[in-house]
């Protein structure tokens, strides 16, 4: 974790209910963020904080801009041809879109886990964990210790400790997803973005990932994009509802799922949409 | 009213719960009005027949509970649907208790009908009408999703309490006058007490309707305040509660949003 900056300090706020009186800090925030694919606008002036060491869920129907939003957070959006953004994204109060900022460095600090588990199938479990680091040209001094540490964090160690040389592709879907989370954690990110991390998993594997998300927030700021309202209700501290590229509502998850204030949120989460 | 569900089966289940609650309320009303008629007309046969309505209410209670559990398990309702289902689970208990109290009233009526009349029972009937009206209004507010109307019912509970106080004092004079009045006076007093309890349950229903519509819990706080004020206790109750929209956490979230908006350096 980086030290707290002045501008971050200015984001410190007191009294958030979910924190039980502790201070809530925005680790990242989108400020008036818009995004386009060519002529098509995918995000419309989103302003949204991502509270430090909390889980923020982003929900909304297909095409509402959820995935685009998190891809703007670590500058993955711009790698698509014709894609552009306006507005800003702040990490610890500093723009990640600044002229002097290296996008690769941003993506290390703001890691990402994708919908479909994508381990390197023939690479061993061990090498899969280290793959992100090696691709960045880093050979960790004590690789074994690091592999164990992040696999423990990803709640996978007990299941694979005797099979570290087996290929990643031999693991079950849920294990593969936790392996991908371990690979992401090996880069020591500060923020972890998860794009529908459970949508291809069975309920047991989903429950494990959700428990893992719960545990990981002691160390990381987590954003989960999900199609499952129940999942958002289960895992998130804060929930944002997106609709056709706009942020409709953002609040404590408890509030969103018991008493949302915008009728569009109400219609969507109760299943009265479309 | 909210829009219909995309899933029509789900919509049908929620509608069914609503209908069963209304049916229970109608049965309670029926019990109460029959019991009062049996009291005035000294119709023991009617009182005994009325007892059986409670069985139908009990059956409906079990059906509502069962359907609510199924909806919770299979639909995982949220927001207004969640408030509706949890409200139904609570209201059903109040309605069932009202049915039980209706049974108690009928039993006392049967006992009274075996004795010569103590006095005309006008106040008891008026009191029962007031309680019945509270329930009817509560169920209307429930159907219409009208929180204001439901809130007004809560205020009316004190009127029924006042009826009970007056009836109780009058019965005391009868009892002091002649010990032979005691048996009948205590029957009448019990009936008035049962009606007073029915009005309390109707108040609970109204409070749950406010919660269902607004998502705001108005139980106990209001009562504590009212009681404090009426006893002339320190002006705790007079202090207006903080406006619901101005909680600290909401404010901090809003602040957070505006701070995030602050250093908006627009990229070229």
């Amino acid at each position: 974790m980086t030290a707290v900056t002045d501008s971050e300090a200015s984001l410190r706020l007191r009294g958030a209910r979910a924190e039980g009186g502790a201070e809530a800090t925005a680790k990242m925030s989108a400020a008036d963020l818009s995004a386009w694919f060519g002529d098509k606008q995918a995000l419309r002036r989103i302003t949204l904080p991502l509270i430090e060491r909390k889980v923020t869920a982003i929900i909304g129907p297909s095409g509402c801009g959820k995935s685009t939003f998190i891809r703007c957070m670590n500058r993955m959006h711009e790698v698509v041809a014709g894609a552009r953004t306006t507005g800003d994204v702040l990490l610890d109060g500093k723009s990640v879109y600044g002229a002097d900022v290296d996008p690769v460095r941003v993506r290390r600090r703001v890691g990402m886990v994708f919908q479909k588990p994508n381990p390197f199938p023939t690479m061993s479990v061990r090498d899969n964990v280290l793959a992100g680091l090696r691709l960045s040209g880093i050979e960790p001094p004590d690789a074994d210790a690091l592999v164990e540490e992040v696999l423990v964090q990803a709640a996978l160690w007990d299941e694979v400790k005797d099979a570290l040389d087996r290929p990643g592709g031999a693991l079950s879907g849920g294990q593969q997803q936790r392996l991908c989370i371990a690979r992401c954690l090996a880069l020591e990110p500060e923020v972890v973005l998860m794009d529908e991390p459970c949508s291809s998993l069975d309920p047991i594997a989903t429950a494990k990932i959700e428990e893992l998300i719960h545990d990981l927030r002691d160390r990381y700021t987590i954003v989960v994009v999900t199609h499952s309202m129940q999942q958002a209700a289960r895992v998130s501290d804060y929930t944002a509802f997106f609709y056709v590229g706009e942020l409709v509502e953002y609040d404590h998850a408890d509030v969103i799922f018991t008493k949302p204030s915008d009728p569009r949120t109400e219609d969507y989460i109760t299943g009265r949409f479309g | 009213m909210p829009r219909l569900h995309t899933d029509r089966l789900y919509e049908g289940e929620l509608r069914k719960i609503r209908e069963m609650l209304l049916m229970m309320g109608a049965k309670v009303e029926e019990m109460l009005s029959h019991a009062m008629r049996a009291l005035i007309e000294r119709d023991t046969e009617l009182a005994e027949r009325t007892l059986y309505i409670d069985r139908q209410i009990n059956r409906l209670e079990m059906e509502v509970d069962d359907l609510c559990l199924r909806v919770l398990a299979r639909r995982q309702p949220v927001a207004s649907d969640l408030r509706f289902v949890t409200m139904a689970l609570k209201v059903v208990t109040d309605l069932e208790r009202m049915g039980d109290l209706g049974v108690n009233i009928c039993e006392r009526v049967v006992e009274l009908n075996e004795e010569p009349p103590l006095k005309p029972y006008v106040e008891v009937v008026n009191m029962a009408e007031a309680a019945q009206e509270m329930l009817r209004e509560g169920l209307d507010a429930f159907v219409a999703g009208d929180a204001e109307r439901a809130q007004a019912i809560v205020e009316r509970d004190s009127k029924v309490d006042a009826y009970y106080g007056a009836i109780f004092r009058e019965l005391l004079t009868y009892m002091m006058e002649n010990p032979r009045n005691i048996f009948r006076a205590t029957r009448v007093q019990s009936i008035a007490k049962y009606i007073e309890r029915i009005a309390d349950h109707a108040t609970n229903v109204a409070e749950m309707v406010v919660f269902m519509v607004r998502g705001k819990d108005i139980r106990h706080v209001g009562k504590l305040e009212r009681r404090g004020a009426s006893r002339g206790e320190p002006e705790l109750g007079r202090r207006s509660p903080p406006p619901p929209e101005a909680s600290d956490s909401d404010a901090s979230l809003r602040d957070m949003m505006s701070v995030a908006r602050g250093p908006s350096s627009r990229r070229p």
Side-chain angles (χ1 to χ4, degrees):
Chain A
M1 297 280 141
T2 53
V4 174
T5 63
D6 282 352
S7 45
E8 186 187 25
S10 73
L11 288 168
R12 278 188 187 279
L13 292 156
R14 263 169 253 127
R17 179 171 46 204
E19 283 68 46
E23 291 180 347
T25 309
K27 177 70 184 174
M28 287 194 91
S29 51
D32 210 14
L33 179 72
S34 296
W36 284 262
F37 291 100
D39 294 339
K40 191 177 172 293
Q41 189 165 4
L43 286 180
R44 293 166 196 276
R45 309 191 64 172
I46 307 286
T47 294
L48 179 67
L50 303 175
I51 308 293
E52 185 166 34
R53 294 183 197 190
K54 294 286 169 196
V55 180
T56 302
I58 300 180
I59 58 171
S62 295
C64 70
K66 316 183 281 287
S67 295
T68 305
F69 175 76
I70 62 167
R71 293 170 70 87
C72 289
M73 290 287 112
N74 70 346
R75 295 190 60 172
M76 293 271 288
H77 177 65
E78 67 204 42
V79 301
V80 178
R84 65 194 173 91
T85 60
T86 61
D88 211 348
V89 172
L90 308 177
L91 174 58
D92 287 339
K94 285 190 185 139
S95 172
V96 302
Y97 283 97
D100 55 337
V101 176
D102 172 9
V104 175
R105 169 95 184 111
V106 171
R107 288 171 208 145
R108 281 197 56 185
R109 294 180 67 191
V110 184
M112 199 162 198
V113 176
F114 298 89
Q115 182 171 355
K116 211 163 166 284
N118 54 354
F120 299 102
T122 55
M123 207 183 260
S124 72
V125 169
R126 187 175 184 280
D127 289 342
N128 258 292
V129 172
L130 300 171
L133 283 169
R134 285 179 178 154
L135 283 172
S136 312
I138 301 164
E139 191 57 46
D142 192 351
D144 287 341
L146 177 70
V147 167
E148 179 173 347
E149 188 195 331
V150 295
L151 284 173
V152 167
Q153 274 189 52
L156 187 59
W157 176 248
D158 288 340
E159 293 162 53
V160 300
K161 63 185 173 195
D162 300 322
L164 293 176
D165 294 321
R166 283 176 63 200
L171 301 179
S172 72
Q175 289 172 329
Q176 288 186 19
Q177 190 62 304
R178 280 177 283 151
L179 179 59
C180 295
I181 293 172
R183 184 174 67 193
C184 170
L185 299 182
L187 289 160
E188 294 180 36
E190 294 155 54
V191 179
V192 179
L193 309 171
M194 299 186 176
D195 193 353
E196 303 203 36
C198 303
S199 60
S200 62
L201 304 182
D202 74 21
I204 306 290
T206 298
K208 282 191 180 159
I209 300 280
E210 288 179 1
E211 191 188 2
L212 172 60
I213 290 171
H214 190 267
D215 294 342
L216 289 178
R217 69 177 162 183
D218 289 344
R219 297 178 62 162
Y220 308 95
T221 300
I222 298 173
V223 184
V224 181
V225 164
T226 176
H227 265 132
S228 160
M229 246 83 70
Q230 281 78 24
Q231 179 168 67
R234 286 192 297 263
V235 304
S236 71
D237 300 296
Y238 299 90
T239 304
F241 171 55
F242 280 40
Y243 185 57
V244 286
E246 280 178 46
L247 172 64
V248 173
E249 189 166 354
Y250 166 75
D251 212 322
H252 296 277
D254 290 345
V255 177
I256 294 282
F257 290 102
T258 56
K259 204 187 77 175
S261 36
D262 194 292
R264 289 171 292 177
T265 316
E266 170 86 35
D267 281 351
Y268 180 69
I269 65 172
T270 58
R272 290 179 168 85
F273 228 70
Chain B
M1 287 298 278
R3 293 202 294 150
L4 293 183
H5 260 281
T6 314
D7 184 334
R8 269 187 262 162
L9 273 178
Y10 185 10
E11 185 69 41
E13 287 163 359
L14 295 176
R15 192 172 54 235
K16 177 89 182 153
I17 295 173
R18 192 174 298 122
E19 284 167 1
M20 285 195 288
L21 288 179
L22 290 176
M23 177 66 81
M24 285 179 81
K27 298 267 175 212
V28 171
E29 275 191 60
E30 192 184 339
M31 271 190 108
L32 206 49
S33 60
H34 284 188
M36 287 303 110
R37 211 169 82 215
L39 176 69
I40 301 166
E41 296 174 3
R42 300 177 64 77
D43 186 344
T44 297
E45 200 256 332
L46 174 62
E48 281 169 348
R49 244 188 306 134
T50 305
L51 288 173
Y52 289 97
I53 298 177
D54 186 49
R55 290 192 188 170
Q56 299 165 19
I57 295 176
N58 291 348
R59 198 175 314 124
L60 280 165
E61 182 199 21
M62 290 166 70
E63 285 175 27
V64 170
D65 272 352
D66 183 57
L67 186 50
C68 285
L69 278 186
R70 272 189 284 146
V71 166
L72 285 172
R74 301 179 60 154
R75 308 291 186 185
Q76 287 123 41
V78 290
S80 60
D81 294 336
L82 178 63
R83 298 201 303 271
F84 169 71
V85 175
T86 51
M87 178 230 160
L89 277 171
K90 290 181 159 210
V91 161
V92 83
T93 310
D94 281 303
L95 290 168
E96 191 274 333
R97 287 293 299 142
M98 288 192 224
D100 290 348
L101 290 162
V103 168
N104 296 145
I105 293 174
C106 290
E107 288 166 351
R108 297 297 88 76
V109 168
V110 170
E111 289 164 5
L112 275 174
N113 286 353
E114 286 165 6
E115 306 277 330
L118 176 68
K119 61 185 241 29
Y121 300 122
V122 187
E123 297 88 347
V124 177
V125 174
N126 287 343
M127 183 182 179
E129 273 170 12
Q132 213 175 323
E133 206 174 294
M134 282 173 70
L135 174 61
R136 191 182 314 126
E137 284 271 309
L139 293 172
D140 285 349
F142 167 61
V143 172
D146 188 340
E148 263 173 49
R149 204 155 146 197
Q151 181 111 39
I153 295 161
V154 176
E155 307 299 324
R156 279 182 12 206
D157 187 41
S158 53
K159 190 174 145 195
V160 175
D161 290 347
Y163 265 124
Y164 177 71
I167 291 169
F168 183 67
R169 280 190 298 275
E170 194 196 2
L171 291 170
L172 270 184
T173 61
Y174 277 94
M175 289 190 273
M176 286 190 291
E177 213 168 74
N178 185 348
R180 268 180 295 184
N181 291 337
I182 290 177
F183 180 82
R184 285 170 294 165
T186 51
R187 303 301 101 167
V188 179
Q189 184 265 332
S190 293
I191 291 175
K193 188 69 198 170
Y194 299 144
I195 296 170
E196 190 267 326
R197 294 293 301 140
I198 287 176
D200 287 347
H201 286 294
T203 307
N204 290 352
V205 172
E207 286 169 341
M208 290 311 296
V209 171
V210 174
F211 174 72
M212 182 189 82
V213 178
R214 292 196 181 139
K216 188 181 155 207
D217 195 344
I218 61 161
R219 295 172 303 169
H220 307 310
V221 176
K223 279 180 198 158
L224 290 173
E225 283 168 357
R226 274 200 302 280
R227 277 185 198 151
S230 65
R231 282 183 196 149
E233 281 171 9
E235 295 284 289
L236 185 76
R238 297 286 170 83
R239 213 177 298 146
S240 57
E245 67 278 8
S247 79
D248 276 0
S249 63
D250 292 347
S252 71
L253 273 183
R254 267 202 308 281
D255 287 354
M256 192 82 82
M257 299 287 278
S258 62
V259 171
R261 207 173 276 130
S264 163
S265 53
R266 224 177 163 73
R267 284 191 319 119

